[in-house]
């Protein structure tokens, strides 16, 4: 069984849930440090822990073969986390996926492989995973799900080009995509991003 930290409201009492996905080299506890900055008072909060603190070994645009085994395992961990929420009777339209960096890429990838009405997807610096984008990997209809992707316009790990391509593909699947690229080189989560998601997704 995967190691999943659960906080916020108990799953049995909550009407909404969020899965928070940490970045490479980080932990479930580190992504949970965002909780006080987000409007999550009525959410059950689940944060899965990656094996050896990494969801896949290479960059998210590296060879598909290199990342394949670890990526499939990581998507399976998200599936287990998702199943806990579903078993508690919380519908997908009340469930949000949020991630930073490697976790942002994983949250977008999981969502696009299970296209449906989500409460929202928040990707702090991320894009869909793969050497090339393969639309055939993705299925479903987001039915107007709000998706936020925020990043530096010149992030060292996540090229703006891939963010825009990802946004385009997600729009074609029926998502309401907002991309904010900031004029700084920082690999971080900015106050403006937090404010936007609080007002538009966690309001």
């Amino acid at each position: 069984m995967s190691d999943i930290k659960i906080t916020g409201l108990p799953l049995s009492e909550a009407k909404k849930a969020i899965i928070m996905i940490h970045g490479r080299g980080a932990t479930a506890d580190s992504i949970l440090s965002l909780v006080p900055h987000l409007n999550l008072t009525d959410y059950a909060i689940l944060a899965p822990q990656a094996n050896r603190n990494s969801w896949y070994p290479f960059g998210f645009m590296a060879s598909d073969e290199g990342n394949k085994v670890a990526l499939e395992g990581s998507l399976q961990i998200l599936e287990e986390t998702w199943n806990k929420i579903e078993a508690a009777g919380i519908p997908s339209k009340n469930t949000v996926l949020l991630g930073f960096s490697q976790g942002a890429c994983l949250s977008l990838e999981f969502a696009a492989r299970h296209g449906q009405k989500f409460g929202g997807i928040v990707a702090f610096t991320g894009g869909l995973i793969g050497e090339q984008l393969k639309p055939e990997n993705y299925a479903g209809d987001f039915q107007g799900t709000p998706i936020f992707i925020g990043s530096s316009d010149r992030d060292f790990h996540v090229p703006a080009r891939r963010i825009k391509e990802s946004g385009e593909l997600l729009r074609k699947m029926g998502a309401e995509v907002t991309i904010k690229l900031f004029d700084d080189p920082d690999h971080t989560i900015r106050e403006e991003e937090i404010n936007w998601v609080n007002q538009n997704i966690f309001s």
Side-chain angles (χ1 to χ4, degrees), residues 16 18 34-43 45 96 98 194-203:
K16 296 179 183 175
I18 182 169
L34 276 180
V35 169
H37 304 280
L38 299 167
N39 297 334
L40 299 177
T41 45
D42 51 351
Y43 281 77
I45 301 164
V96 175
L98 175 150
I194 295 279
N195 292 341
W196 194 95
V197 297
N198 275 334
Q199 282 161 20
N200 295 281
I201 293 181
F202 303 122
S203 55

Side-chain angles (χ1 to χ4, degrees), residues 94-108:
N94 289 348
T95 303
V96 175
L97 293 169
L98 175 150
F100 171 62
S101 192
Q102 204 184 49
C105 298
L106 194 65
S107 61
L108 290 171

Side-chain angles (χ1 to χ4, degrees), residues 96-192:
V96 175
L97 293 169
L98 175 150
F100 171 62
S101 192
Q102 204 184 49
C105 298
L106 194 65
S107 61
L108 290 171
E109 188 69 18
F110 181 85
R113 291 185 185 208
H114 301 81
Q116 58 194 298
K117 177 72 172 171
F118 291 89
I121 311 295
V122 179
F124 294 126
T125 311
L128 290 166
I129 297 170
E131 245 173 310
Q132 305 292 329
L133 286 193
K134 293 183 178 161
E136 65 272 18
N137 286 352
Y138 308 120
D141 179 355
F142 280 115
Q143 302 168 52
T145 294
I147 296 184
F148 174 82
I149 309 175
S151 181
S152 158
D153 61 6
R154 51 191 182 277
D155 188 86
F156 181 70
H157 302 285
V158 181
R161 172 176 54 82
R162 174 54 67 91
I163 290 175
K164 290 171 184 167
E165 287 171 359
S166 300
E168 204 44 55
L169 191 150
L170 296 162
R171 280 189 191 102
K172 284 181 180 152
M173 292 177 67
E176 292 282 334
V177 181
T178 300
I179 293 173
K180 291 194 176 294
L181 297 175
F182 295 86
D183 182 14
D184 65 49
D186 304 327
H187 190 72
T188 187
I189 300 170
R190 299 157 190 79
E191 197 175 341
E192 298 97 312

